[in-house]
Amino acid sequence: MACTVLWKRLAPDVINSEQLDDMMQEGYTLLESEGADKAIECCNVWLQVWDHLKSRFTEDMKDVEDTRKVFAGLQSLFNWCQDFEMELLNAGSSDPSFYQKRIDYCREFCSFFPDSDELLICNMKRAEAESYFMLGETEQGDQSFQALIEEFPDNAWGYIGWGDMYSTFCPRHMEKNLKKAKEIYEMALNIDSEERKHVVSRLESLDEEQTDESS
């Protein structure tokens, strides 16, 4: 504690790992408190954390797990980076500018750490594609999802995320397109994985919704 206080006095412009760890925790504390815009406050703090962390990353760090050599705080960077992506989405529901921040963050993450866990990379790219839809950039969103399923053809969540944009999680400024959603979901029916059950569940929900609309 004394060292941290002394650091702040002698080098106030240089942020050390303990301070970054405190800023991460500050964000989590904000999320636990009451208030409509806590996600925005949290993300504003965490955007600063990300900016400081980026200056520590080196070219030989291709996996986010490699960052342990430059950041070893109480918070897990592997977990935090995913929480950050989700909170940028939540903040965007109140302030759409955070959807663009989410796009920028996800792009930077994948650029820094292309060899990270495949599911993590897939989720980051899915988050980027979703954010285009949230911003009303449907064509760019379609292109991003198309690129995603081409890169990860056996990951059902790429198809699910894309279909959801036209059905379950359709942005408020868009009209649902259940026909297109069904076509996208059906592209994943040949995937031989545990996640196929989620595709089937989405298709069953679509059939129920279409039945309700026609009755």
Side-chain angles (χ1 to χ4, degrees), residues 3-14:
C3 288
T4 300
V5 172
L6 184 60
W7 184 292
K8 289 180 180 179
R9 289 178 181 172
L10 298 179
D13 297 327
V14 181

Side-chain angles (χ1 to χ4, degrees), residues 90-107:
N90 293 332
S93 64
S94 298
D95 181 348
S97 70
F98 281 88
Y99 292 135
Q100 183 61 54
K101 292 178 173 65
R102 189 182 186 216
I103 290 170
D104 296 339
Y105 165 67
C106 291
R107 278 183 176 175

Side-chain angles (χ1 to χ4, degrees), residues 27-43:
Y28 286 116
T29 301
L30 283 167
L31 294 174
E32 292 172 358
S33 58
E34 296 183 4
D37 295 325
K38 293 305 178 183
I40 290 177
E41 292 181 42
C42 168
C43 286

Side-chain angles (χ1 to χ4, degrees), residues 8-214:
K8 289 180 180 179
R9 289 178 181 172
L10 298 179
D13 297 327
V14 181
I15 305 297
N16 59 35
S17 292
E18 288 75 14
Q19 289 170 289
L20 289 178
D21 205 58
D22 288 344
M23 292 168 73
M24 288 179 180
Q25 187 54 53
E26 180 185 349
Y28 286 116
T29 301
L30 283 167
L31 294 174
E32 292 172 358
S33 58
E34 296 183 4
D37 295 325
K38 293 305 178 183
I40 290 177
E41 292 181 42
C42 168
C43 286
N44 282 331
V45 173
W46 283 357
L47 283 165
Q48 295 178 56
V49 173
W50 179 243
D51 280 340
H52 288 299
L53 285 172
K54 286 190 294 184
S55 66
R56 300 182 176 204
F57 302 151
T58 57
E59 290 184 0
D60 62 313
M61 297 177 189
K62 300 297 184 182
D63 186 325
V64 67
E65 297 286 13
D66 296 335
T67 61
R68 292 178 181 178
K69 64 185 78 170
V70 294
F71 178 78
L74 296 176
Q75 299 296 334
S76 162
L77 195 58
F78 180 86
N79 293 330
W80 173 81
C81 69
Q82 297 174 80
D83 293 337
F84 185 23
E85 176 265 300
M86 286 301 301
E87 292 311 322
L88 286 168
L89 171 63
N90 293 332
S93 64
S94 298
D95 181 348
S97 70
F98 281 88
Y99 292 135
Q100 183 61 54
K101 292 178 173 65
R102 189 182 186 216
I103 290 170
D104 296 339
Y105 165 67
C106 291
R107 278 183 176 175
E108 289 178 339
F109 183 93
C110 293
S111 176
F112 277 120
F113 310 118
D115 295 340
S116 293
D117 177 79
E118 182 177 299
L119 181 59
L120 176 55
I121 294 296
C122 183
N123 287 340
M124 287 290 181
K125 292 188 176 184
R126 178 161 61 96
E128 177 187 342
E130 288 174 350
S131 297
Y132 286 119
F133 276 90
M134 301 302 178
L135 288 170
E137 299 177 23
T138 307
E139 184 177 352
Q140 182 60 56
D142 283 332
Q143 291 175 5
S144 295
F145 270 115
Q146 183 64 50
L148 176 63
I149 65 174
E150 288 175 1
E151 184 176 0
F152 303 103
D154 296 325
N155 189 308
W157 287 104
Y159 305 89
I160 292 171
W162 192 4
D164 284 351
M165 293 296 97
Y166 290 97
S167 57
T168 311
F169 297 107
C170 182
R172 285 172 290 183
H173 56 264
M174 283 176 56
E175 286 189 19
K176 287 186 177 182
N177 187 335
L178 301 186
K179 180 181 178 182
K180 183 160 186 173
K182 185 175 183 178
E183 290 173 353
I184 294 170
Y185 291 143
E186 287 178 339
M187 293 167 63
L189 286 177
N190 293 327
I191 292 177
D192 183 20
S193 76
E194 286 280 327
E195 309 306 330
R196 185 180 181 278
K197 62 186 178 183
H198 298 292
V199 178
V200 173
S201 176
R202 289 294 203 282
L203 285 167
E204 290 174 348
S205 296
L206 272 187
D207 288 339
E208 291 176 5
E209 189 171 350
Q210 288 175 321
T211 300
D212 292 339
E213 287 181 355
S214 60

